[in-house]
Amino acid sequence: MLPRPTILAFDTSAAHCAATLLRDGQIVSRVEDMAKGQGERLMGLLEDLLAENNTTWADLDGIGVGTGPGNFTGIRIAVSAARGLALGLGIPAVGVSAFDAAAYGLSNVIVCLPAPRDQAYVQAQVSGADQDARLVELPRLKAFPDVPAKAEARFVGPAAQAVGQAYMGRAFGHADVVEQSVIPIEAITWIAAARRRHETKRPAPMYVKPPDAAPSRDAPPVILP
């Protein structure tokens, strides 16, 4: 039997700073709600979590990190930290999307995540469907994954109710929504533990849409020859 891995995972893609430690098959989670300040808090939270569970950085076998979609700056904070820790410790870092975290332990689901301004991020994790992640507008959906009717897929995720209602209208019912099996940060941890031996790519942000940023009104600098 392979030894159980020790995994540290974290996520700052939304209005929180969340972390978990998986050791000896047991998970300990810490989630702190915050709209800003994740960059200043993250490393302290990780240090606290390790110390409280008699674990050192050298004990870790892998890093898990949430890659979004979500807050542009928050995603970059966590992904940058994961890459730096993995490089410094010589262990793998595994990026896990919020879609995969919401669908952990489930199949045949349409994952729905909240987005700003009456929108939602949607990904159909359904065989035979278009599985590209996309941004849809609520309450009117201008685009939606092509999901075969025979799949009888259900909706999952924090925006499942809103997306399901907008997509199906009066035909939408409670039976069309399935609950997430574990909280997202714990799902990130379990997925990272399973993938760490085979992961070859460094974690990268998943944005789905370009960041909200207005172009500068100032003239660009002159580049000298």
Side-chain angles (χ1 to χ4, degrees), residues 44-222:
L45 177 62
L46 300 182
E47 291 274 9
D48 291 346
L49 186 60
L50 292 174
E52 290 166 4
N53 292 276
N54 299 314
T55 304
T56 68
W57 294 105
D59 294 325
L60 300 179
D61 298 306
I63 298 288
V65 62
T67 59
N71 178 272
F72 177 79
T73 301
I75 295 170
R76 294 176 67 87
I77 289 170
V79 169
S80 297
R83 287 187 176 191
L85 288 171
L87 180 63
L89 297 171
I91 57 178
V94 180
V96 180
S97 76
F99 293 111
D100 287 348
Y104 177 70
L106 304 171
S107 60
N108 210 44
V109 292
I110 300 170
V111 187
C112 311
L113 307 173
R117 296 184 292 278
D118 290 327
Q119 300 178 102
Y121 300 111
V122 176
Q123 184 184 55
Q125 298 196 2
V126 180
S127 177
D130 174 5
Q131 298 194 14
D132 289 338
R134 65 185 67 190
L135 183 69
V136 299
E137 295 186 14
L138 302 173
R140 290 185 58 188
L141 293 183
K142 295 183 177 180
F144 199 81
D146 183 14
V147 179
K150 64 180 180 181
E152 297 183 350
R154 292 189 291 173
F155 298 87
V156 69
Q161 291 283 348
V163 173
Q165 183 65 50
Y167 180 54
M168 299 176 65
R170 293 183 179 179
F172 177 74
H174 294 295
D176 295 307
V177 176
V178 59
E179 295 292 330
Q180 294 174 248
S181 57
V182 298
I183 64 173
I185 186 59
E186 293 186 2
I188 290 171
T189 314
W190 290 116
I191 294 171
R195 293 179 181 173
R196 70 182 180 89
R197 291 184 175 275
H198 311 289
E199 187 63 64
T200 58
K201 297 180 180 180
R202 294 192 300 170
M206 183 178 191
Y207 293 129
V208 179
K209 69 182 184 71
D212 295 325
S216 172
R217 295 183 179 181
D218 297 331
V222 177

